[in-house]
Amino acid sequence: SNGWTVFADRGTHCRETKRGVSCGRLDGAWGLAAHPQRGLLFVSSFGSDEILAFSLDKGKFRYALTGDLDCPEGLAVLGDSLYVASF
């Protein structure tokens, strides 16, 4: 491996959990923020109004954050908090 993980601009990412299947839809990847302590990379999805979390080590989808987001753009991690710039 060359150390790079490529995230497609569009696509659905899913993972099986004990409760079923968890999915997030990446539509217009916009912002990135790494959380090294948790081993996560957050990617804002402008078109689907979600923040997708991927593992830093393998780039595998972990979960999606949804809620009161409108075209999320910028992301920042400070301490244990994730900050999102959204319309």
Side-chain angles (χ1 to χ4, degrees):
S1 168
N2 60 9
W4 289 88
T5 299
V6 177
F7 293 94
D9 186 53
R10 295 183 185 274
T12 301
H13 300 272
C14 296
R15 118 177 228 259
E16 285 190 47
T17 68
K18 291 179 182 177
R19 295 181 181 170
V21 177
S22 170
C23 294
R25 188 170 62 88
L26 190 58
D27 182 5
W30 202 270
L32 298 171
H35 194 311
Q37 294 85 356
R38 289 192 177 187
L40 295 172
L41 175 68
F42 294 103
V43 181
S44 62
S45 178
F46 189 85
S48 67
D49 299 332
E50 297 175 292
I51 308 296
L52 281 66
F54 296 89
S55 63
L56 272 174
D57 60 347
K58 298 190 186 215
K60 296 199 181 271
F61 174 75
R62 305 301 300 154
Y63 56 87
L65 300 170
T66 60
D68 221 4
L69 297 171
D70 183 18
C71 302
E73 294 181 13
L75 300 175
V77 171
L78 181 60
D80 202 36
S81 297
L82 173 66
Y83 295 90
V84 179
S86 179
F87 280 101

